[in-house]
Amino acid sequence: MYTYRYKITSHKSDDGIGAIDIRIGNNENLYYGGHIGYMIKESYRGNSYASKACKIIKNVAIAHGMNRLIITCNPDNLPSRKTCEKAGLKLKEIVNIPPYNEMYESGERQKCIYEWILG
């Protein structure tokens, strides 16, 4: 598995407004944790930067021959759910995290699984 990390900037500045990473490959942990993770600094939220970054970064997955991506979030994280939908992903299911998964061990119990069919 490969991971690429990028700084998110606005067009008008090199100042970082957030970060995004993409994990290339497939395994059970990625199903619960997702291929893409992002963070936008609080003062920049609400401007669709995360969904725009997701649309750009999917090209990395396509270049690696991937045909689908998963992004996950907690069911109560409405801003992340909106980001996934705005980027073009579809909610596949809400799943219980298995007790052996490290996210379960850190207190998480469910994930929304958003799927993006590429191509």
Side-chain angles (χ1 to χ4, degrees):
M1 180 175 71
Y2 301 98
T3 301
Y4 297 94
R5 290 184 174 89
Y6 301 93
K7 178 170 75 169
I8 300 173
T9 62
S10 71
H11 289 290
K12 300 175 185 172
S13 171
D14 284 337
D15 293 340
I17 61 171
I20 189 165
D21 61 61
I22 182 165
R23 295 169 283 279
I24 304 298
N26 287 299
N27 61 38
E28 183 180 14
N29 283 337
L30 284 176
Y31 190 73
Y32 298 108
H35 291 105
I36 295 176
Y38 50 81
M39 180 282 305
I40 302 295
K41 292 179 181 177
E42 193 169 339
S43 60
Y44 293 97
R45 293 179 185 167
N47 294 296
S48 302
Y49 292 128
S51 63
K52 291 172 187 174
C54 287
K55 289 177 184 179
I56 293 168
I57 205 170
K58 80 174 183 178
N59 293 311
V60 175
I62 292 168
H64 281 277
M66 295 181 69
N67 59 8
R68 78 177 183 133
L69 288 172
I70 299 291
I71 299 179
T72 68
C73 64
N74 292 337
D76 62 348
N77 188 340
L78 298 181
S80 277
R81 293 183 74 166
K82 187 175 177 182
T83 292
C84 289
E85 292 164 5
K86 197 176 279 192
L89 288 87
K90 303 292 182 212
L91 179 63
K92 182 177 180 184
E93 61 182 335
I94 298 175
V95 297
N96 293 324
I97 297 173
Y100 56 82
N101 187 284
E102 65 183 48
M103 285 186 284
Y104 187 95
E105 293 172 8
S106 68
E108 300 203 44
R109 296 296 180 258
Q110 288 189 317
K111 287 290 178 183
C112 294
I113 308 295
Y114 282 87
E115 185 175 46
W116 206 352
I117 303 300
L118 307 174

